[in-house]
Structures are given as C-alpha cells and as structure tokens.
Amino acid sequence: MLITTLDRIFRLAFALGAIALTAIVACYACEVVMRYFFNAPTRWASDTVSFLLLASVFLVAPWLTRENGHVAVTLLPDLLPEKWARLAIRLGFAAGAIVCIGGGVIAIAEAASLFRRGTMTYSAIPFPKWILTSVIAFGLVGCGLAFIGLTVSPPSPQQEPRT
C-alpha cells in the first residue's frame, strides 16, 4: 500500500516536472518572440524559467531514483564478487537515503522558517521562497525514500536501470 502510494506520488511529480519543462520551452519562446519581433522583452520570463527548472529537477528526481536511473559509478561493484558487489550497492543506496533525507529535513525546516518570515525572492516579480524550498524538500525526501526501496530490494550489479 505505501509503495503503491509513493509510486503514484512519484509518477504524478514526474508528470508535473515534465509539464514544468514544457512551460520552460514556452516561456523562452514567448521571450524570444516578444524581444525580437515586438521589441518588448518580458520582465518575468527569466525568473519563471529559473523557478520552473528547479521544479522540474526536484519533481522528477524521486521517480528517476526509484527507477535506478541516476548516474552511477560502478567501478567498485564491477570489480567485486557478486555477493560483495550487492553489499556495496546496498551500502551506497543506504548512504544516499541518509544524505537525501537529512538534506530534506533541513529543507523542510528552512521552508517553514521562510514561510513564517514571509520571505520573497529577489526577482522582477517576487515569489514566496518557501514554495521553492518545499519543492526541494519534496525531491530530497522522495529520493531518500526511493533509495530506501533500492536498499531493501536492490537491482543486481549488472542490471540495467528499469524503464
């Protein structure tokens, strides 16, 4: 039940990340048209693209991690016998889980602080920083949970990422 729920959340976040990436293309296209065809550059496009890029990365990261699609340096597991390679991979996933969840907890605390203070971005159109920090927290905690899943049920050392 929990894994199915997380899977659905990660797939939804992936879809939102893909939408954010599509919106980045639309914003840049709008900016190019406005700037070069109408000589009226937008004030909002650059900041919006920055925020959407952050969202696309941190919304897609948990799904990518769950799929074991992250970049991996497999030199050590490739050199070890199968039994020790599996252990090394599990330890790597466990370390990733600890680091990501730890970073996520820090981001959650920072988002709460930014919310309490009402801190806004320094941009052409101010935006609440707590929302951006919450997206970072979601991505980090989601990656940590995905790493826990990979620690419990890791792929074999030579297995390609799931698609």
Side-chain angles (χ1 to χ4, degrees):
M1 173 74 175
L2 177 63
I3 295 189
T4 304
T5 303
L6 283 176
D7 188 51
R8 287 183 180 151
I9 291 169
F10 292 166
R11 284 183 187 274
L12 175 62
F14 179 85
L16 292 173
I19 291 168
L21 197 56
T22 303
I24 287 171
V25 173
C27 286
Y28 268 129
C30 179
E31 173 63 18
V32 168
V33 168
M34 294 302 292
R35 179 178 299 270
Y36 296 107
F37 292 105
F38 298 109
N39 197 27
T42 63
R43 291 182 34 217
W44 53 265
S46 179
D47 293 331
T48 302
V49 165
S50 297
F51 302 154
L52 289 170
L53 182 59
L54 179 141
S56 68
V57 167
F58 284 96
L59 289 172
V60 169
W63 176 85
L64 184 65
T65 303
R66 181 187 61 78
E67 291 294 318
N68 194 27
H70 51 276
V71 174
V73 179
T74 60
L75 179 64
L76 181 62
D78 290 345
L79 295 174
L80 293 172
E82 180 81 19
K83 176 183 174 183
W84 292 104
R86 285 185 179 277
L87 178 62
I89 289 169
R90 281 187 172 187
L91 289 174
F93 288 147
I98 291 167
V99 169
C100 287
I101 290 175
V105 167
I106 292 168
I108 289 168
E110 183 61 21
S113 175
L114 291 167
F115 178 79
R116 280 191 305 275
R117 292 189 310 235
T119 306
M120 305 293 275
T121 60
Y122 294 111
S123 55
I125 300 173
F127 188 78
K129 279 188 176 182
W130 72 268
I131 295 173
L132 301 172
T133 309
S134 296
V135 173
I136 294 169
F138 169 82
L140 289 173
V141 171
C143 285
L145 294 173
F147 275 131
I148 289 171
L150 289 169
T151 302
V152 172
S153 180
S156 68
Q158 284 74 33
Q159 180 181 347
E160 292 296 318
R162 294 179 287 162
T163 57

